[in-house]
Amino acid sequence: MGGPSDPPEGTPEGAPGGGEDEYGSVVFDESFVRAARLQEYSARERITDHAPAVRRSPPPRRGRPSRQALVLLLLIAVAFGTAVFMGVRPGRAPAGAEPAEPLRMTVVPLAPRDEVPGTTDVERLYARSPAAPFNTGADGVPLPATRSTEHFSDSQVVTALLTAKDYLVRSSLDPGVLIGGETRPVRLLLDSGQHGQFDRSFDRPTADGRHAPTGWLVRFDPSQVELADQGIRVRGTMRAAEADAATLEVTTDHTFVYAVRPAGAGRDAEASLFTVRRELRFRFDHDDLRLHQAELVGAHLQAGPLSCAEDTAARLRPLLAGRTAEKDAPRGTDPYTTDTAPALCGSLSPAAQPKL
């Protein structure tokens, strides 16, 4: 029988003194008891709200970012947008970079002494001219032998020469540039620091030695002239040298010979030759070499047959077959202003014309 204090059916299983005391070693100290928090509603709350006595924490929200995450994303977006904006602003040089030197240019028209010779046979026209031994197109702009300099490797020198060649090909041989009025192929090869001067030259052409489109590229007036042959003859030289420890300089001197005829006249119209000599000076820093761009800092152009009275700043308007310069005179120059360059004009030697 059980004792007076035992239940009639004996000590329940799991109770002290009955079976194995599996929780006998568990002791809840005072600090643990104090730390345990059970949030209960009052009796009134339980009656009126019918809520459970113990408040449960709300389950974690899924699918909605926290406020801190939203703020962080906003800051990242603002920083990225600022970086992109600063990177694409036109004409903005990076901090510490030297500003690009502006292009200085000279355009000299060459007036013929006699009537401009012409024929419908373009091959004969070239064969009877000083351009007979010239190569055709980009083949006439070969790269010279190269070697490294004190501060630039051989590959960097080659890159500078290739960029200068690309500029010559795009600005002197591309039909879209010559006749179509395109400028983007040439602009892409220029240092971004010169884009402002380049754009100003085409928006508001001026014969001031700084803003003549014909100083940047060869450009005909499509309303008056068209190419009679796509195979433009070219011959010239290129040279690379170190200007200083941070700058490579490439100088080029090429003669381009174009067969031209009146616009829209058709193949039966007589063609004549138009000659352009371009002397260019390029500069390259390390960023230019990396970006395949150049600073064009000097351009001297002589072209003919042209009328000295014509404005050659915006477009070239060749004297075509059968035309003469007659009593041609250069356009006037106002010595009281400084916004225009002195008028220059030369004479095109008869030796430069084909012998037909």
Side-chain angles (χ1 to χ4, degrees):
M1 292 181 59
S5 62
D6 293 334
E9 298 180 0
T11 303
E13 182 180 357
E20 294 185 2
D21 187 4
E22 67 177 298
Y23 298 108
S25 62
V26 178
V27 178
F28 295 94
D29 60 13
E30 184 178 356
S31 62
F32 177 85
V33 173
R34 289 178 180 178
R37 296 182 180 179
L38 291 177
Q39 298 179 351
E40 297 187 18
Y41 288 100
S42 65
R44 182 179 297 278
E45 287 175 329
R46 289 197 298 272
I47 293 174
T48 58
D49 296 341
H50 304 286
V54 179
R55 294 179 181 174
R56 297 180 180 177
S57 300
R61 297 178 181 179
R62 297 181 180 178
R64 296 181 61 185
S66 66
R67 180 178 299 177
Q68 290 86 351
L70 290 174
V71 172
L72 179 61
L73 288 174
L74 180 61
L75 290 175
I76 292 174
V78 171
F80 179 75
T82 302
V84 171
F85 175 74
M86 294 300 292
V88 300
R89 291 182 67 182
R92 187 82 174 184
E98 291 292 330
E101 182 178 335
L103 169 63
R104 292 173 172 81
M105 60 185 71
T106 306
V107 180
V108 181
L110 302 176
R113 298 178 186 176
D114 303 312
E115 182 180 292
V116 178
T119 178
T120 57
D121 187 347
V122 175
E123 290 301 324
R124 180 168 175 261
L125 198 61
Y126 278 122
R128 297 294 186 91
S129 76
F134 289 13
N135 289 321
T136 301
D139 291 340
V141 192
L143 299 185
T146 61
R147 62 180 180 179
S148 61
T149 66
E150 183 178 356
H151 298 96
F152 292 89
S153 66
D154 182 72
S155 63
Q156 289 176 316
V157 175
V158 170
T159 298
L161 289 168
L162 283 172
T163 305
K165 175 176 179 173
D166 285 349
Y167 189 93
L168 283 166
V169 170
R170 294 188 192 184
S171 64
S172 310
L173 300 175
D174 185 345
V177 172
L178 297 173
I179 299 293
E182 296 181 9
T183 60
R184 180 175 171 79
V186 178
R187 188 180 188 270
L188 289 174
L189 287 174
L190 290 171
D191 184 288
S192 60
Q194 291 190 309
H195 287 175
Q197 183 187 5
F198 182 89
D199 295 340
R200 161 72 172 79
S201 299
F202 290 89
D203 293 340
R204 297 183 298 278
T206 307
D208 60 355
R210 296 290 185 90
H211 301 98
T214 49
W216 297 98
L217 47 82
V218 179
R219 194 185 203 199
F220 295 108
D221 185 344
S223 67
Q224 296 189 16
V225 66
E226 67 182 27
L227 294 177
D229 182 53
Q230 299 290 329
I232 301 162
R233 306 304 198 266
V234 188
R235 186 169 70 180
T237 60
M238 302 178 69
R239 184 175 63 87
E242 186 174 302
D244 54 51
T247 310
L248 267 178
E249 189 168 279
V250 174
T251 55
T252 67
D253 184 355
H254 289 80
T255 300
F256 302 85
V257 184
Y258 308 85
V260 296
R261 62 189 172 205
R267 294 183 175 275
D268 293 335
E270 287 191 336
S272 57
L273 296 185
F274 185 76
T275 305
V276 175
R277 180 175 179 181
R278 300 184 76 193
E279 299 172 72
L280 306 180
R281 184 161 57 93
F282 302 90
R283 284 185 180 170
F284 301 85
D285 58 24
H286 289 279
D287 285 337
D288 291 327
L289 294 173
R290 178 175 54 85
L291 297 173
H292 193 63
Q293 294 177 339
E295 295 179 33
L296 179 61
V297 297
H300 179 71
L301 179 142
Q302 301 175 68
L306 284 170
S307 169
C308 291
E310 284 280 0
D311 183 2
T312 57
R315 296 183 183 274
L316 301 174
R317 301 176 175 87
L319 289 172
L320 300 173
R323 297 278 303 278
T324 60
E326 297 180 353
K327 296 180 180 179
D328 207 10
R331 58 184 175 79
T333 300
D334 184 356
Y336 293 95
T337 62
T338 59
D339 58 350
T340 57
L344 299 175
C345 188
S347 178
L348 183 64
S349 170
Q353 299 279 31
K355 308 300 181 184
L356 300 178

